[in-house]
Amino acid sequence: MHTTPTPADESRPMVLVIDDSPDVHRLLRARLRHEDLHLEAAMGGAEGLEKVRHVTPAIVLLDLDMPDMDGFQVMEGLKEIEANGYLPVLVITAQPDRKLRALNA
């Protein structure tokens, strides 16, 4: 799902999806295809942080359970990159016990 931004994409809000599941990327692309958004994919935490170093998304959709870095590590990295800014993060998890921890992070 990796896409290179085009000039038309640059005028639309970017949603960065950080998730190691290609199925989740496909599902979100299908669900959001009618919205005026530019979806950018990262297949793991390290790739997601690298993308945020180059461009600030309007929002990050973040999986908590990934093999390279968990979502909490990614959130700590996002705080360092956007130390003085504001970056909304929507957490994706199916584990109820991790929801409160994610809110606190």
Side-chain angles (χ1 to χ4, degrees), residues 81-94:
I81 294 168
E82 293 292 324
N84 297 318
Y86 174 76
L87 179 59
V89 176
L90 179 63
V91 172
I92 303 168
T93 184

Side-chain angles (χ1 to χ4, degrees), residues 29-65:
R29 182 166 298 287
R31 294 285 174 129
L32 298 174
R33 73 179 176 269
H34 298 295
E35 303 299 323
D36 191 26
L37 301 169
H38 168 71
L39 263 62
E40 186 71 27
M43 291 304 294
E47 183 181 342
L49 291 174
E50 186 60 29
K51 287 181 184 281
V52 173
R53 284 185 182 90
H54 299 287
V55 62
T56 303
I59 190 168
V60 174
L61 304 181
L62 175 63
D63 182 15
L64 289 182
D65 299 308

Side-chain angles (χ1 to χ4, degrees), residues 3 6-7 19 24 33 41 52 63 67 73 88 96:
T3 58
T6 65
D19 195 305
V24 169
R33 73 179 176 269
V52 173
D63 182 15
Q73 293 169 309

Side-chain angles (χ1 to χ4, degrees), residues 19-26 43 63:
D19 195 305
D20 63 318
S21 169
D23 291 337
V24 169
H25 289 282
R26 280 191 294 277
M43 291 304 294
D63 182 15

